[in-house]
Amino acid sequence: MYGVCGCCGALRPRYKRLVDNIFPEDPEDGLVKANMEKLTFYALSAPEKLDRIGAYLSERLSRDVARHRYGYVCIAMEALDQLLMACHCQSINLFVESFLKMVRKLLESDKPSLQILGTNSFVKFANIEEDTPSYHRSYDFFVSRFSEMCHSSYEDPDIRTKIRMAGIKGLQGVVRKTVNDELQANIWDPQHMDKIVPSLLFNLQSGERTESRSPSPLQASEKEKESPVELTERCFRELLGRAAYGNIKNAITPVLMHLDNHSLWEGKTFAVRCFKIIMYSIQSQHSHLVIQQLLGHLDANSKNSATVRAGIVEVLLEAAAIAASGSVGPTVLEVFNTLLRQLRLSVDYELTGSYDGSTNIGTKIIKAHEERQLQEAVIRTIGSFANTLPTYQRSEVMLFIMGKIPVPGVHLALPSTGSGHEGTRMIQVMLLKSLVQVTAGFQTTNMLTALPSSFLEPLLSFSLTEDPEVRLLVLQILLSLIDRHDNRPKFTNISIISDISVLKLKVDKCSRQDNLFMKKHGQQLYRHIYLGCKEHSSGRQHYETLFALLGLLSVELANEEVVVDLIRLALALQDLALSTDEALPIFNRCAVHALAAAYLNLICQLTTVPAFCQHIHEVIEVRQKESPYLLPEDVFIDNPKLPSSLEKVEGDVLFLQSKITEVLGGSGYNTDRLATPYVPQYTDEDRLSKRKSIGETISLQVEVESRNSPEKEERTPAEEITFETLKNAIVDSVGMEEQERERRRQVVEKFQKAPFEEIAAHCGARVHQKYFSFIHIII
């Protein structure tokens, strides 16, 4: 009886008759639209029948697929699509199950046309916002199948492109359908992300395209929008844009794995492009999470080739440039710690030629030039990170990096580089180069708080080393710190300028904080400038940088007292160049003369004292006629014109301290201070630098005033204190002269060989306290 009813159309259920009526006799005629409207009206009127309609359509579609009646298959899918779009009610969940079953059937087919048909229907379904959630729906199959389609290797290139694009659209649909539905299986789980992300990257890499430069999808022509690459980028951006805080890691990890597995770090171009898309697409407050993952990945690849590490660092550089200010997050020092650790490791690898003796990786050949490229990339990245930080955090980073620089004989607790003295020197150079990057463009209103003694004093101590590269880096750092009005480029070259107004210098009145800063650190700065000029290894670039430092001090931090000190310093440099005691080469002596002339020409115009300017210009005119080798135009050139000796530098070619004191005193400057020749103060830093023996240090001229109390200099002229005058001040008896001479020899010998603690203990036990205090000042 059942079979008879099934064959009789009049006895069939109404929904089946309505479904049957939408199929024409000839599938070429397409869907019968009038009957489709009746079916839609019925489904809306009786929503409880939707599940049966869906099941019957699914049954017909499966039968048509098996019989290769693809025209009817297309009609069935079109009917399903229209029903989905029209019906939004509580019963749609049951209908969706039938729909997804049919889509799955099409996707499992080996015919590309059916796969694309099923994908298009799924995408339409994904764009529907359902009124009620689903508790049991699963999209695992669709993620896997669409990912496979993204990797299609179909022979026909046009069909292959269509299949891949269908796969991309399908993944996009899955993400849209599940990302905001808390009841669905979490699409951000690694099991799904490990399929979705590599599939997108595979297609992103497969085509050539201009690099993205904007945070939003580029406006492209219709033809471009049809390419898998363009479609992939839009899908990738949408995926990342929907990622919440807790999902960023799962989305980025597959990217890192894909770049590792396909050796894409070395080329850098694709890796940089990927992370530009990532940084522009994610929410800005999540940027630091991406950076942290990159840092962790860099650590994980510490023993990989230099090209791989350099690629990761380049990506970090680009990511930092895109990230907004402060996006590095709460672990700022962790970022710099990781980069500095990589810098130290790279230096070790370069010098030792192995990755810590590792058995499986240590056999790789380490190329020094690749390690150098990596080091430069790390340094640039450190600077890029620093530029995103506010001033107070940049100051912390400067202190942090300074604490990492090894100082022989001081930072004994620092781990060894494993490569000896040369390794220590290279680490010093690399970290100072990092500081150059960090301090570039550094500006602050309060120099005292931004540049505390804990940073400036160790920095200045490096200016005493014998290494010319280290000294030059220290000077460049100082220039960046002091230059707050972009005056530095105006002092690039040393020259005699008749009218400094052409420089258009920006000079502001010194603030109270600036005055305090110079009161505290001025003497240290003068001293290091003086000692830098004394170095035999100083070259043209050193003197040009020292001139820039003097110029910046004059326009950025100079009050009347500082101006007097700087003039005294310039005259002391002239005396240094005249002295034969230091045995400076001819070039260095001429360079110091030229430096002093160029600076006095600058400072006299800044002071605007006519008589002062007249004296300086008169001396310069005489030099131009008689001794051009004492001016910068003949010294700081590629082939300097130097004399064979400097025995006749006297008379009118010299700047006279008495004359300058007279003319400036008449303009209200402190004549006592001007009349006192500048003599640098020597401290323990000279002992640590190992550039002078202690015997030489004892016989040096020192100023009586305290190191941090320059005002005493105004009241008391500097007095020459040698060991002999020290002895006469303590011992009154002339008959003990021979005994004291022997004691002097023993003290000098002890100071040359014994540690400082032993000297202090010995002096404290056997010598008068006043005697010990003077000796302690000298050493």
Side-chain angles (χ1 to χ4, degrees), residues 310-327:
I312 301 174
V313 171
E314 287 287 349
V315 171
L316 269 169
L317 176 62
E318 296 293 339
I322 295 171
S325 178
S327 68

Side-chain angles (χ1 to χ4, degrees), residues 692-704:
K692 299 179 178 66
S693 71
I694 197 67
E696 292 171 317
T697 305
I698 288 177
S699 62
L700 288 171
Q701 293 182 349
V702 296
E703 294 177 89
V704 176

Side-chain angles (χ1 to χ4, degrees), residues 154 157 179 344 361 441 453 489 520 523 545 556 660 668 685 761 770:
Y154 201 85
V179 73
R344 177 179 288 271
I361 307 179
S453 300
K520 184 175 184 180
Q523 295 300 323
T545 313
E556 295 282 352
I660 294 174
E685 291 173 344
K770 180 178 179 182

Side-chain angles (χ1 to χ4, degrees), residues 379-479:
I379 291 171
R380 288 198 307 272
T381 305
I382 288 174
S384 182
F385 270 117
N387 289 334
T388 67
L389 300 176
T391 300
Y392 75 94
Q393 279 191 322
R394 202 189 291 202
S395 297
E396 291 178 2
V397 171
M398 287 158 49
L399 281 169
F400 181 74
I401 296 176
M402 180 59 70
K404 294 285 184 179
I405 304 179
V407 181
V410 178
H411 291 180
L412 300 178
L414 285 174
S416 172
T417 61
S419 46
H421 173 72
E422 180 60 18
T424 300
R425 192 199 75 83
M426 285 186 65
I427 286 293
Q428 288 176 340
V429 170
M430 294 299 168
L431 294 183
L432 287 172
K433 285 183 177 179
S434 301
L435 274 176
V436 170
Q437 292 289 325
V438 172
T439 55
F442 182 83
Q443 292 188 353
T444 178
T445 54
N446 191 339
M447 299 282 287
L448 274 174
T449 56
L451 307 174
S453 300
S454 54
F455 175 79
L456 269 183
E457 290 182 1
L459 175 67
L460 291 174
S461 70
F462 282 105
S463 70
L464 302 175
T465 61
E466 295 179 352
D467 192 319
E469 186 177 7
V470 170
R471 295 201 311 274
L472 186 59
L473 289 170
V474 170
L475 290 173
Q476 291 173 350
I477 293 168
L478 284 174
L479 292 183

Side-chain angles (χ1 to χ4, degrees), residues 153-290:
S153 56
Y154 201 85
E155 293 181 0
D156 188 323
D158 292 334
I159 296 177
R160 180 171 65 243
T161 298
K162 291 179 180 179
I163 295 174
R164 289 184 179 182
M165 290 183 68
I168 297 166
K169 291 177 181 177
L171 290 177
Q172 189 177 33
V174 172
V175 172
R176 288 178 178 176
K177 199 65 183 171
T178 60
V179 73
N180 293 323
D181 192 346
E182 296 179 357
L183 298 175
Q184 297 295 339
N186 192 353
I187 197 67
W188 300 106
D189 285 346
Q191 59 179 336
H192 299 309
M193 284 291 107
D194 289 348
K195 297 174 183 176
I196 294 174
V197 173
S199 301
L200 296 176
L201 295 180
F202 173 77
N203 283 279
L204 193 65
Q205 183 188 354
S206 63
E208 292 296 328
R209 182 178 161 278
T210 56
E211 197 170 310
S212 296
R213 292 183 178 87
S214 70
S216 60
L218 299 178
Q219 298 296 323
S221 67
E222 289 299 323
K223 186 175 181 181
E224 284 180 319
K225 288 183 178 179
E226 292 176 356
S227 71
V229 177
E230 178 67 26
L231 179 62
T232 301
E233 180 170 332
R234 292 204 306 271
C235 181
F236 195 31
R237 288 181 183 279
E238 182 177 340
L239 174 69
L240 295 166
R242 294 173 179 267
Y245 180 87
N247 303 326
I248 293 291
K249 182 177 180 181
N250 288 346
I252 302 303
T253 300
V255 177
L256 300 174
M257 293 176 61
H258 182 84
L259 296 174
D260 286 343
N261 296 336
H262 297 274
S263 302
L264 296 173
W265 292 112
E266 287 91 334
K268 290 183 281 191
T269 304
F270 180 71
V272 168
R273 179 180 164 196
C274 281
F275 276 89
K276 278 189 173 182
I277 294 174
I278 291 170
M279 297 302 293
Y280 280 132
S281 302
I282 62 174
Q283 300 176 46
S284 59
Q285 65 268 28
H286 300 160
S287 297
H288 68 278
L289 296 176
V290 179

